Amino acid sequence: MLVAAGYALLIAAALTSREPDVPGVILTTFTLPVIWYLTQHGLTVNRERIRNETLQTLATTDPLTGILNRRAGQAALDTAAAVHAHHPQHLWAALIDIDHFKRVNDDVGHQTGDTVLVAVAGILQAALPPGGAAIRWGGEEFLLLLPDQTPEQAHTRLHDMLGRVRTLRLPGVPPVTISAGLATLREAPSTLALTDLADRRLYEAKAAGRDRLTGPSTARNKDGLPDTPATTPDDARP
């Protein structure tokens, strides 16, 4: 419609002038459709790009917490394991579970429970090292990827996360704590074995009283491997 109106104005102006510019009118007649087409094509391409980005976000992101979902998290774990294949001692994984989360849902409702999930996910995400990832592994359980960390750094980060969650205060919600199981790729032959080991240590932390971290000791043996697993409450810094 606008293009047609533009044609009409240009043709009228050219034909009513004392010296009509017929070649100019003809050139304009061909140029305007090209400009219109390129403009529409650009808008279409931009809309398609936004649509693809939205679909990609929906496919990889947990809709509640905004962190990676399990499918995308597994892909991130596989990629990180491949990158650290020659230095597996530098890749750490931690499974985190919100303590007594069922009690939160039962006492204050699932909507408030969702608020707790979002808040804890934000704390975990903010405390990651560069290149790390926080993943909604399932329910109230999160998987953290901690690349390029020494044992001391990995332990310190996890204890820091436990402390930040403990100081979290949400309206109408009792104090929240988390338990964590920590493992390094050096201890496991595959990503599945790595998450299984972190999961076993998480349950050890739960059994030891919750609100604590279970992971390999920061002491090293003669081969550079961690000594026996250690369970440490949050106030016991490694």
Side-chain angles (χ1 to χ4, degrees), residues 35 121 149 158 232 235:
I35 295 174
Q149 300 288 286
L158 263 297
T232 52
D235 57 0

Side-chain angles (χ1 to χ4, degrees), residues 95-178:
L95 270 171
I96 307 286
D97 189 80
I98 300 176
D99 297 326
H100 302 297
F101 186 71
K102 184 178 184 300
R103 186 182 302 170
V104 174
N105 280 335
D106 291 343
D107 291 348
V108 295
H110 289 271
Q111 186 172 353
T112 303
D114 287 348
T115 301
V116 173
L117 286 170
V118 172
V120 170
I123 290 173
L124 300 180
Q125 178 84 11
L128 291 172
I135 303 148
R136 178 99 181 268
W137 203 240
E140 68 273 23
E141 195 170 71
F142 302 90
L143 176 69
L144 304 182
L145 302 184
L146 311 172
D148 303 317
Q149 300 288 286
T150 65
E152 292 77 14
Q153 288 172 328
H155 280 75
T156 298
R157 283 191 184 276
L158 263 297
H159 281 293
D160 179 58
M161 292 177 190
L162 266 67
R164 292 189 190 192
V165 171
R166 187 185 292 110
T167 61
L168 177 66
R169 294 295 178 265
L170 297 170
V173 180
V176 178
T177 61
I178 58 176

Side-chain angles (χ1 to χ4, degrees), residues 30 46 58 78 113 131 140-141 144 153 185 196 199 201 222:
F30 285 103
N46 190 52
L58 291 173
D78 292 340
E140 68 273 23
E141 195 170 71
L144 304 182
Q153 288 172 328
L185 187 62
D196 282 347
D199 190 50
R201 288 176 176 167
K222 62 183 178 60

Side-chain angles (χ1 to χ4, degrees), residues 153-227:
Q153 288 172 328
H155 280 75
T156 298
R157 283 191 184 276
L158 263 297
H159 281 293
D160 179 58
M161 292 177 190
L162 266 67
R164 292 189 190 192
V165 171
R166 187 185 292 110
T167 61
L168 177 66
R169 294 295 178 265
L170 297 170
V173 180
V176 178
T177 61
I178 58 176
S179 297
L182 180 65
T184 174
L185 187 62
R186 180 70 177 266
E187 302 175 279
S190 66
T191 57
L192 178 59
L194 176 62
T195 55
D196 282 347
L197 179 56
D199 190 50
R200 290 199 301 273
R201 288 176 176 167
L202 168 61
Y203 277 95
E204 289 172 11
K206 293 278 191 181
R210 296 182 171 83
D211 189 22
R212 64 190 62 225
L213 164 68
T214 297
S217 169
T218 54
R220 321 303 286 176
N221 63 24
K222 62 183 178 60
D223 298 317
L225 292 170
D227 278 337

